[in-house]
Amino acid sequence: MSGAAKTKPAGLSEADAKARLAEDGANELPRPERRSPLRIAFEVLREPMLLLLLGGGLIYLVLGDLKEALILLAFGAMSIVITVVQETRTERVLEALRDLTSPRALVVRDGARRRIPGREVVRGDLLVLGEGDRVPADAALVDARDLQIDESLLTGESVPVRKQAADGIAAADHRPGGEDQPFVYSGSLVVRGEGLALVEATGPRSEIGKIGLSLRGLQAEPPRLQQQTARLVRLCFLGGAVVSLAAVALYGLSRGDWLQALLAGVAIGMSMLPEEFGVVLTVFMAMGAWRISQARVLTRRAAAIEVLGSATVLCTDKTGTLTQNQMSVAELRLLDGARLRSTGQRAGPEFSELARCGALASSPEPFDPMEKALHLFARETLGDGNTLDGERSLVRTYGLRPDLLAMTQVWRMAGQADLVACAKGAPEAVARLCRLNDADQQLVRDAAGAMAKDGLRVLGVATAICDDNSLPQSQQGFAFRLVGLVGLADPLRPHVPEAVRECRAAGIRVVMITGDYPATAVAIASQAGLDVQDVMTGDQVRLADDAALAARARHVNVFARVLPEQKLRIVQAMKADGEIVAMTGDGVNDAPSLKAAHIGIAMGGRGTDVAREASSIVLLDDDFGSIVAAIRLGRRIYDNLRKAMAFIFAVHVPIAGLALLPLVFGLPLIFSPVHIAFLELIIDPVCSLVFEAEREERDAMKRPTRRADAELFSFALVGWSVLQGALTFALTAAIFVGALRSGLAADEARALTFVSLVICFVALVLVNRSFSTSFASAFFRPNPALAWIFAVVAAVLATTLLWPPASSLFRFGPLHADDLLVTLGAGLLVLIVLEALKPLWARRLRF
């Protein structure tokens, strides 16, 4: 970008503008293609768990078992519909966020000012910038009058920067965020003054566009749960194949009917395949996304919730994330030492003049955040009737200059012959205007320094009385008197300290990465409750190699004056060091690190389109406290998913065992396909509804995060599942064999064994509701789905036993009261034994 010309250009002609628009394209970032419901469905179909579910249904269909095939395919269709509906709703919400009114631009074309859509701005256009305008493109200033720009979108700094026109300055020497630059950047906001600027870069060639393009080279972190379940699928296929082959051999050798042996082997293998995994995984993630949306958190990828629950480091921006991005008066000081730190109380009479002059030194209709804060403070402190001394009119404004960082407003007050001049600006500049002696100037410097260490933006305020007929040419001509110093701060969001405490209690390290100055960053970090032992600046990040940066990042919790590409390096260094990184942010400068992190969390209100597109989770209310809710839900979902998986694994052990038992010992068959289908109808709803609805464990936010390499199915969980399944199999097998030996008919023994198995499943549900509490504690924990599911299971089980068509289909014989006592006793014994053993496994199961 070259320097601005000395003569003001007249702007493009309309014909030239159209030609450049055709040549360069629209002034906008390339939008990612919106995913259609069909495309989402295709992505869902590629999930290994769902492929297993649908594949099982197709195999049953080929074998001619239409009922089982339809049941499995119905579950698959239900999973697809739930996910497609959830993801489509997410896409619609993001589209609505993305299509918020685009900024319009005021340009000079054919010698006249025209208001055009921002996307039609081209190179060579002459922009007319005024207070409140959003800069539509990167441009070099031709003229600037008291121009201040908020570039927090690109830099993360909340304080506006001054701009001035200059010649011969190369863009390579400057980046967004510096004072007195002759360049303005796309996406920044004019908060004061006016100017003319010549457009030199649009769309992807602008600074904001370069960040957007850099995102294309970054791949989002694949869901760890998906990787783990893919491995689990392969193991299930292997185990099912081995057992099926063994069943074929046993049946063929013992009974000589190899065709029936083949069909029996396929049926047994299918009974061992955990088709429920697909349903459970999909439903848990979809329902988790719905639950978290109730807390105003939008999940763009459902699996991201689980990853968030395992985060070890939460990297957060300062401006707009920890803070409100809204300046407020935090401290007042007078030369005599008087001091007021609380803005919530009415200022004493000694501060009244300072509050009034601070507002009078600002624009009457402020847009600058600091001037808004001064007006608000004056209204709250003095009352609406006394704030600005009644009726007044602005006579003249003296703007900021590079050699004098102060501005003055001159007012004519109703009923007063003299004019009132009020000035504000850098403390040292205002001290010079007041012609203070050396001792008083040192007092001002000391007071301003002490306030700056607290992270405050310090302004000096002065006032003067002047004759209506003799206004001076410059601010130095007034006989100013120093009124005092005002310290302004971008306050924390109210719930941030509590949210940070919860994160730390959950073993999550909170790290601030900001473009602001170290003193301000440390002050805000301390207020937020971060552990501030060391601070690393952007220059130190730039000079450190990857290994040194990773080592330093292990204990540094505050990174200050950091550029966008350095944020990305910090996140990548933490990932390389084995951390599970969550990154929050709202600006374009956050987008690359949002996408590079394991989980990106964007602010939906103030956040930019680029940041939202790069993230996996969007906080619709921009509340940092919502992150804690998301983490809690992530841990709850993962815990409940492990409970459901443990239950599924456990119940398949007795199903497979009872299917093989008759083949090994030459007994009557217990299970036919209809029995297996019925059991699937019990297992799926129990897992999808009961375990999914379980509340979080009491220690969910008090235990350390799980290891980065932790498997969904740990050895402890597999052992616990096998133990439960083996106990259930032993009891039900003993009941079946004992019933046959006692002379019961095969149909009656089958009915007794089947009902006993279902009752034992109910006991397993109660056992697995919690890994950390006893059955009694878990039993009284609210779960509305539990009672409904048990009632339905009891009703359906009664129907199969008492309704002749159903009992005939299941080949069940009649059961008596003493038989039912046996089934209840089996379930009670399973519950007692496992509850006694659970404390031995509890600690390993929770991590």
Side-chain angles (χ1 to χ4, degrees):
M1 192 185 291
S2 61
K6 292 183 179 181
T7 59
K8 298 178 184 178
L12 292 175
S13 66
E14 193 63 38
D16 288 342
K18 289 182 179 179
R20 289 195 178 178
L21 184 62
E23 177 185 351
D24 294 344
N27 178 35
E28 60 184 3
L29 296 180
R31 292 190 175 191
E33 181 183 355
R34 180 177 176 179
R35 298 187 304 163
S36 65
L38 186 61
R39 179 178 172 185
I40 295 173
F42 178 74
E43 291 177 359
V44 175
L45 284 172
R46 291 187 299 177
E47 292 292 328
M49 293 290 97
L50 193 58
L51 285 175
L52 176 62
L53 182 67
L54 298 179
L58 291 175
I59 291 175
Y60 272 123
L61 193 61
V62 171
L63 293 175
D65 294 326
L66 184 60
K67 293 180 181 178
E68 289 78 0
L70 290 178
I71 290 171
L72 294 181
L73 292 175
F75 277 129
M78 181 184 68
S79 300
I80 294 173
V81 168
I82 290 174
T83 304
V84 168
V85 168
Q86 189 271 333
E87 294 279 4
T88 303
R89 186 187 301 119
T90 297
E91 291 290 327
R92 284 201 301 267
V93 174
L94 287 171
E95 192 70 26
L97 289 172
R98 191 186 300 124
D99 287 339
L100 293 174
T101 304
S102 60
R104 296 176 63 82
L106 184 61
V107 299
V108 178
R109 287 187 180 172
D110 292 324
R113 295 187 176 190
R114 290 190 54 197
R115 183 76 66 175
I116 64 172
R119 68 186 306 275
E120 296 180 8
V121 172
V122 298
R123 285 181 300 110
D125 262 329
L126 186 63
L127 298 175
V128 181
L129 302 175
E131 194 171 283
D133 288 343
R134 182 75 67 178
V135 180
D138 289 4
L141 283 170
V142 175
D143 185 35
R145 293 180 294 280
D146 193 19
L147 186 64
Q148 294 185 31
I149 304 286
D150 177 359
E151 295 180 347
S152 61
L153 194 70
L154 291 162
T155 65
E157 298 182 33
S158 56
V159 179
V161 292
R162 295 186 308 273
K163 298 291 181 179
Q164 62 173 341
D167 297 332
I169 301 178
D173 298 332
H174 292 272
R175 297 290 299 272
E179 295 279 1
D180 299 322
Q181 285 193 26
F183 303 109
V184 293
Y185 301 94
S186 177
S188 57
L189 184 67
V190 180
V191 297
R192 184 178 181 83
E194 55 187 17
L196 296 173
L198 193 64
V199 175
E200 298 196 348
T202 61
R205 292 166 293 279
S206 64
E207 287 292 325
I208 194 173
K210 292 174 184 176
I211 295 175
L213 290 177
S214 71
L215 296 176
R216 295 185 177 183
L218 295 174
Q219 294 297 322
E221 197 71 23
R224 294 167 56 247
L225 188 58
Q226 179 180 338
Q227 298 171 347
Q228 294 181 20
T229 51
R231 291 195 298 270
L232 188 59
V233 170
R234 292 193 291 269
L235 290 175
C236 290
F237 272 123
L238 255 161
V242 170
V243 174
S244 294
L245 291 174
V248 169
L250 283 171
Y251 197 105
L253 291 173
S254 62
R255 307 194 184 187
D257 191 341
W258 288 99
L259 179 59
Q260 288 300 321
L262 181 61
L263 292 175
V266 171
I268 290 173
M270 287 302 301
S271 72
M272 292 187 62
L273 288 177
E275 300 94 344
E276 304 85 4
F277 282 168
V279 177
V280 169
L281 181 60
T282 305
V283 171
F284 268 55
M285 293 299 104
M287 289 298 294
W290 174 79
R291 289 185 186 280
I292 202 171
S293 70
Q294 305 305 298
R296 302 283 296 161
V297 178
L298 177 68
T299 308
R300 299 191 69 242
R301 297 292 180 269
I305 305 174
E306 174 273 326
V307 184
L308 181 61
S310 65
T312 59
V313 175
L314 174 58
C315 298
T316 175
D317 190 20
K318 177 184 74 70
T319 305
T321 305
L322 294 177
T323 66
Q324 300 176 21
N325 196 34
Q326 179 179 338
M327 301 296 287
S328 65
V329 175
E331 185 174 350
L332 303 178
R333 291 201 185 200
L334 305 179
L335 269 183
D336 62 6
R339 181 180 179 188
L340 178 70
R341 290 188 61 89
S342 174
T343 60
Q345 64 186 42
R346 182 66 62 88
E350 67 274 21
F351 295 104
S352 299
E353 185 181 24
L354 179 55
R356 182 177 64 254
C357 290
L360 290 174
S362 306
S363 297
E365 295 182 0
F367 193 82
D368 184 302
M370 289 187 292
E371 293 192 340
K372 285 183 176 180
L374 291 172
H375 273 269
L376 178 62
F377 175 70
R379 287 196 300 271
E380 292 178 345
T381 304
L382 304 175
D384 294 337
N386 299 322
T387 301
L388 302 177
D389 292 334
E391 296 296 329
R392 70 201 185 284
S393 59
L394 183 63
V395 177
R396 183 171 177 180
T397 296
Y398 298 82
L400 289 168
R401 299 200 316 271
D403 59 334
L404 182 62
L405 302 181
M407 63 165 293
T408 299
Q409 302 272 55
V410 181
W411 300 89
R412 176 176 284 110
M413 299 296 184
Q416 295 186 22
D418 294 330
L419 301 178
V420 176
C422 293
K424 66 175 173 56
E428 60 275 13
V430 174
R432 290 201 305 272
L433 286 177
C434 296
R435 302 179 180 87
L436 298 180
N437 57 42
D438 292 343
D440 286 341
Q441 287 195 37
Q442 186 60 46
L443 286 176
V444 170
R445 285 194 293 270
D446 291 344
M451 296 167 74
K453 286 182 180 179
D454 291 333
L456 302 181
R457 174 82 166 185
V458 185
L459 296 177
V461 177
T463 187
I465 302 297
C466 61
D467 191 343
D468 191 3
N469 300 319
S470 58
L471 283 178
Q473 294 299 314
S474 66
Q475 298 180 73
Q476 287 90 339
F478 290 98
F480 278 115
R481 173 177 56 85
L482 182 66
V483 180
L485 301 179
V486 179
L488 298 108
D490 185 5
L492 279 178
R493 293 180 178 274
H495 303 298
V496 164
E498 180 183 352
V500 170
R501 281 195 299 273
E502 285 201 58
C503 287
R504 294 179 65 178
I508 302 170
R509 184 163 63 100
V510 181
V511 176
M512 178 196 292
I513 305 177
T514 179
D516 221 329
Y517 291 93
T520 304
V522 169
I524 293 295
S526 299
Q527 294 173 26
L530 271 66
D531 184 13
V532 185
Q533 297 181 354
D534 193 7
V535 179
M536 192 172 188
T537 64
D539 287 339
Q540 293 172 327
V541 172
R542 177 176 54 83
L543 296 174
D545 58 26
D546 292 343
L549 179 59
R552 187 90 184 268
R554 291 172 190 164
H555 60 271
V556 173
N557 292 334
V558 176
F559 294 84
R561 300 301 288 169
V562 172
L563 296 175
E565 59 269 22
Q566 293 168 346
K567 287 187 178 184
L568 179 59
R569 278 197 67 203
I570 293 169
V571 169
Q572 290 174 331
M574 290 178 173
K575 288 174 60 179
D577 200 37
E579 303 282 5
I580 303 299
V581 182
M583 173 72 190
T584 72
D586 56 6
V588 175
N589 60 319
D590 298 322
S593 48
L594 283 173
K595 189 168 184 178
H598 291 94
I599 180 74
I601 310 167
M603 301 297 174
R606 183 177 177 272
T608 62
D609 293 338
V610 176
R612 287 191 290 266
E613 288 299 331
S615 66
S616 300
I617 287 179
V618 180
L619 305 182
L620 295 180
D621 56 5
D622 288 6
D623 187 355
F624 183 82
S626 298
I627 299 173
V628 177
I631 292 173
R632 183 183 294 109
L633 266 173
R635 293 192 172 193
R636 165 184 167 175
I637 291 168
Y638 190 81
D639 284 348
N640 290 344
L641 184 62
R642 293 179 75 235
K643 295 171 188 176
M645 295 296 189
F647 174 77
I648 292 171
F649 212 120
V651 298
H652 273 277
V653 171
I655 290 175
L658 292 174
L660 284 170
L661 180 67
L663 301 181
V664 175
F665 295 101
L667 302 174
L669 293 177
I670 301 174
F671 290 149
S672 66
V674 69
H675 297 103
I676 296 174
F678 180 83
L679 291 173
E680 300 293 340
L681 284 172
I682 295 175
I683 298 170
D684 283 330
V686 164
C687 294
S688 299
L689 297 177
V690 173
F691 287 115
E692 192 283 327
E694 280 295 324
R695 301 175 69 176
E696 67 268 12
E697 298 285 337
R698 290 179 301 179
D699 62 346
M701 294 299 290
K702 297 179 181 179
R703 63 175 184 254
T705 55
R706 62 181 181 273
R707 300 189 313 274
D709 58 349
E711 294 290 337
L712 176 65
F713 258 98
S714 63
F715 286 113
L717 193 65
V718 170
W720 177 241
S721 298
V722 171
L723 176 63
Q724 296 177 82
L727 178 60
T728 302
F729 169 66
L731 281 175
T732 51
I735 289 173
F736 180 67
V737 174
L740 291 176
R741 290 187 176 180
S742 67
L744 283 181
D747 287 353
E748 294 181 10
R750 180 180 300 110
L752 180 62
T753 305
F754 189 86
V755 174
S756 298
L757 182 63
V758 173
I759 298 299
C760 287
F761 284 179
V762 171
L764 294 182
V765 170
L766 298 176
V767 169
N768 285 284
R769 285 189 64 195
S770 174
F771 290 154
S772 60
T773 60
S774 66
F775 158 72
S777 300
F779 185 80
F780 291 104
R781 191 164 56 190
N783 188 336
L786 188 66
W788 283 103
I789 288 295
F790 284 175
V792 170
V793 169
V796 174
L797 200 58
T799 301
T800 62
L801 292 173
L802 303 177
W803 190 40
S807 59
S808 175
L809 177 65
F810 281 85
R811 289 181 295 165
F812 283 167
L815 292 183
H816 305 92
D818 54 344
D819 297 327
L820 294 178
L821 289 176
V822 171
T823 64
L824 292 175
L828 185 60
L829 183 59
V830 167
L831 182 63
I832 293 173
V833 172
L834 293 178
E835 280 296 322
L837 294 175
K838 188 163 64 173
L840 303 177
W841 297 80
R843 180 175 178 81
R844 286 176 289 177
L845 289 174
R846 291 202 302 269
F847 291 93

